[in-house]
Amino acid sequence: MTRWRTMLIAGGVALTTMCQPVAAQHAAIAPEAWAAYKAKFLDTSGRIVDNGNDNISHSEGQGYGLLLAYLSNSPADFEQIWYFTRTELLLRDDGLAAWKWDPAVTPHVTDTNNASDGDMLIAYALALAGSAWNKKDYLEAAVTIAHALLSHAIIHAGGQTLLLPGIKGYGAAEREDGPVVNPSYWVYEAIPVMALLAPSDEWQKLTDDGLALLRSTQLGPRKLPADWVSLRSKPRPAEGFDAEFGYNAIRIPLYLARAGISDKALLTRLQAGMTVEGDEPATIDLETGKPKQPLTDPGYRIVNDVVACVTSGAKLPASVRQFAPSLYYPSTLQLLGLAFVEEKHPECL
């Protein structure tokens, strides 16, 4: 691995850190796996297609695509995805991306609100690629997005530093149960990089308070967080959303592991709470603790396997090491899990 290079970027700011991200010279994702992912989800225009959601594209998917292209050491693919992202989604006047692009309607952007996790993923991938590949324009774009997140998406409420899921619709002034947050929008591995792009103590507070929220939000018999959480008083499921540990929250343990957060008690509580039999996760009804939908795809099951790897050194089963893309979301999680284990825990392979 190589350390980040120090590079001069917008405003004469130096981007440097002693953390060690995956070096571009070493692809953490196997070429055949990235080729399969591209064939399934990457349109020739550069958009990542969510085939489980009416083939729309969104800022989250573009951010994931950029990160996976970086982890695959694929600069040409990265540039293709970035071209679509900057020309089709970065349309707002605050530096953030419109979250949704629908091929079935015109204009294609049907909702100009942002999704803060998508913005953070985009900025994170741009920073990694810009540093590794000496691309000043990527770094400048990452700086702009990070500053926009800091200015518009990070708020203070109840003594906590929080990440609004979107600029509109989630604050205390807009909802009776606001502010509402989504704990899975904290991309923990990206937050220290945001602090380099847009220096502020707020980023560390965001990490600390996000982790505190995960530790304290133990809803229902399985002691899990909800996908959408009201913080008007004590944490509870937000109004208008299913009271569930759902498809959003399933990625939280993976995000924690990828960030090197080795809180065994938190990881094992989440793992136990979302597991219904063997190592198979499920979406969970928080009130009853009963499973709603088993998540049998290897991309979901790898989350539990990554937790088992980092907490006990367990090897990943062959079923999740083999990559055969199905739906966009679990396939993305599977590659993120495989890349992490390849880079940080090869003993689990």
Side-chain angles (χ1 to χ4, degrees):
M1 292 185 292
T2 59
R3 295 183 184 274
W4 278 53
R5 300 170 180 88
T6 300
M7 299 190 66
L8 292 179
I9 51 180
V13 178
L15 175 62
T16 181
T17 179
M18 297 304 291
C19 71
Q20 295 182 315
V22 177
Q25 291 78 7
H26 168 72
I29 295 173
E32 59 271 19
W34 176 238
Y37 185 94
K38 285 196 303 178
K40 189 82 171 180
F41 308 115
L42 178 56
D43 184 83
T44 55
S45 67
R47 74 182 186 97
I48 299 294
V49 177
D50 185 346
N51 65 336
N53 191 11
D54 296 325
N55 292 324
I56 69 165
S57 294
H58 34 65
S59 58
E60 170 211 276
Q62 297 304 115
Y64 279 145
L66 290 169
L67 181 56
L68 294 175
Y70 167 76
L71 292 170
S72 301
N73 191 21
S74 301
D77 296 326
F78 189 101
E79 175 57 32
Q80 183 185 20
I81 298 166
W82 171 229
Y83 179 82
F84 179 90
T85 306
R86 71 177 185 266
T87 59
E88 297 290 333
L89 296 183
L90 283 169
L91 309 176
R92 296 167 54 96
D93 59 10
D94 58 7
L96 301 174
W99 83 271
K100 182 180 181 181
W101 193 98
D102 190 338
V105 298
T106 303
H108 296 301
V109 173
T110 58
D111 186 343
T112 59
N113 201 12
N114 76 305
S116 296
D117 65 329
D119 295 310
M120 190 176 295
L121 286 163
I122 292 167
Y124 178 51
L126 285 166
L128 294 177
S131 178
W133 300 334
N134 293 300
K135 294 281 287 184
K136 183 180 177 181
D137 57 323
Y138 291 173
L139 290 167
E140 290 173 341
V143 166
T144 297
I145 297 169
H147 276 286
L149 282 168
L150 182 63
S151 298
H152 302 294
I154 294 179
I155 64 166
H156 302 95
Q160 300 175 88
T161 301
L162 304 170
L163 182 68
L164 284 176
I167 304 306
K168 293 182 180 179
Y170 299 96
E174 299 168 284
R175 293 179 57 103
E176 289 186 2
D177 64 341
V180 165
V181 299
N182 186 316
S184 79
Y185 278 35
W186 268 255
V187 187
Y188 288 100
E189 66 184 282
I191 295 175
V193 176
M194 299 303 102
L196 294 165
L197 298 167
S200 171
D201 293 339
E202 295 297 284
W203 298 108
Q204 185 60 53
K205 294 176 184 176
L206 184 67
T207 290
D208 293 343
D209 289 343
L211 292 173
L213 180 64
L214 285 177
R215 293 178 180 123
S216 64
T217 306
Q218 302 186 28
L219 303 173
R222 288 181 177 263
K223 301 186 181 303
L224 291 168
D227 275 6
W228 299 92
V229 179
S230 164
L231 296 176
R232 172 67 80 178
S233 54
K234 67 178 182 179
R236 60 183 177 86
E239 297 170 8
F241 296 95
D242 289 339
E244 67 176 5
F245 179 93
Y247 288 94
N248 283 262
I250 190 73
R251 60 190 165 180
I252 293 173
L254 178 61
Y255 278 3
L256 294 172
R258 283 187 54 88
I261 297 169
S262 55
D263 184 335
K264 187 172 183 178
L266 175 59
L267 286 167
T268 54
R269 173 169 60 82
L270 293 173
Q271 179 189 38
M274 70 185 195
T275 303
V276 293
E277 55 181 77
D279 69 345
E280 184 175 288
T283 61
I284 303 294
D285 181 294
L286 291 174
E287 183 176 353
T288 65
K290 294 181 179 179
K292 297 179 69 174
Q293 179 68 45
L295 302 177
T296 58
D297 191 287
Y300 297 125
R301 289 192 286 109
I302 200 173
V303 176
N304 271 342
D305 296 324
V306 167
V307 172
C309 166
V310 299
T311 58
S312 65
K315 290 188 178 295
L316 267 62
S319 58
V320 302
R321 295 201 308 270
Q322 299 165 353
F323 181 70
S326 54
L327 294 176
Y328 145 80
Y329 184 49
S331 297
T332 299
L333 297 183
Q334 187 177 5
L335 285 191
L336 288 173
L338 289 172
F340 167 71
V341 175
E342 163 70 24
E343 183 62 26
K344 299 295 185 181
H345 291 278
E347 72 277 6
C348 293
L349 292 174

